[in-house]
């Protein structure tokens, strides 16, 4: 049986938060930045789980729930999430876009953008995204090329 992390009360307050500690890097071990907004950064993910899989991360103070944002922050955050989603739609032409704001393993506000395709692993259902992402990585050449194109679309 799974359990919440032992330090969950600290994590939701931002103590030991990996996303706060990271700052706003151009790249990290999970992805490469394709968008730097006022409220968020977006990272095209290295893990080979789904073409165009991107994480949008709230920047600023530690926030666990979007309900902690004031109205201007909330409008700004979601507008940036949607801008990134539009670029993904333009580039990857999915059948459907999914917007997952979960935070069950890392409780710092972020949104998974998952394009869904005809050759999808689970059509008609939530994407089977595990906290333990597969070891498989998309090639560095492909990652850089797709990131450059997405940055162009988001300029
Ligand atoms: Zn944080």
């Amino acid at each position: 049986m799974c359990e919440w992390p032992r330090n969950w009360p600290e994590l939701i307050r931002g103590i030991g938060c990996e996303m706060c500690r990271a700052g706003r890097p151009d790249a990290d071990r999970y992805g490469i930045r394709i968008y730097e907004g006022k409220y968020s950064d977006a990272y095209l993910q290295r893990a080979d789980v789904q073409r165009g899989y991107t994480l949008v991360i709230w920047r600023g103070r530690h926030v666990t729930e979007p309900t902690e944002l004031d109205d201007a922050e909330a409008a700004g955050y979601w507008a940036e999430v949607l801008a990134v989603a539009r670029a993904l739609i333009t580039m990857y032409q999915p059948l459907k876009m999914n917007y997952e704001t979960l935070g069950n393993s890392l409780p710092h506000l972020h949104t998974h953008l998952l394009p869904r395709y005809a050759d999808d692993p689970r059509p008609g259902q939530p994407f089977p995204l595990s906290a333990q992402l597969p070891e498989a990585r998309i090639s560095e050449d492909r990652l850089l090329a797709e990131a450059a194109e997405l940055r162009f679309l988001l300029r």
Side-chain angles (χ1 to χ4, degrees):
M1 191 179 83
C2 292
E3 292 181 1
W4 296 98
R6 200 177 289 274
N7 62 339
W8 189 252
E10 286 77 38
L11 284 177
I12 61 172
R13 297 200 327 269
I15 298 167
C17 175
E18 187 181 318
M19 286 179 175
C20 283
R21 193 171 48 230
R24 301 187 70 165
D26 288 334
D28 61 22
R29 65 193 174 104
Y30 302 109
I32 181 168
R33 184 159 61 180
I34 57 169
Y35 177 76
E36 182 179 357
K38 179 177 177 186
Y39 299 96
S40 69
D41 288 321
Y43 294 87
L44 181 64
Q45 298 295 286
R46 300 177 190 279
D48 192 11
V49 294
Q50 186 83 329
R51 300 188 297 286
Y53 171 38
T54 295
L55 215 62
V56 183
I57 303 173
W58 162 262
R59 296 305 192 193
R61 70 188 185 285
H62 178 81
V63 165
T64 295
E65 303 292 347
T67 51
E68 296 166 27
L69 302 175
D70 68 28
D71 288 351
E73 291 169 335
Y77 178 72
W78 295 116
E80 291 182 357
V81 168
L82 298 182
V84 175
R86 285 188 194 101
L88 295 174
I89 289 168
T90 299
M91 176 140 157
Y92 296 99
Q93 303 284 307
L95 294 180
K96 181 71 183 75
M97 274 300 297
N98 284 183
Y99 315 81
E100 297 190 353
T101 303
L102 304 172
N104 298 316
S105 58
L106 205 171
H108 175 113
L109 175 60
H110 62 281
T111 301
H112 301 259
L113 294 177
L114 280 154
R116 306 299 298 269
Y117 301 103
D119 61 343
D120 200 89
R122 197 183 290 167
Q125 298 290 322
F127 190 84
L129 187 61
S130 162
Q132 270 68 49
L133 292 171
E135 290 299 309
R137 298 282 182 262
I138 63 177
S139 76
E140 193 73 8
D141 284 353
R142 193 181 120 201
L143 186 76
L144 292 173
E146 293 184 11
E149 195 166 335
L150 287 164
R151 276 191 215 103
F152 179 77
L153 289 169
L154 283 159
R155 74 200 183 286

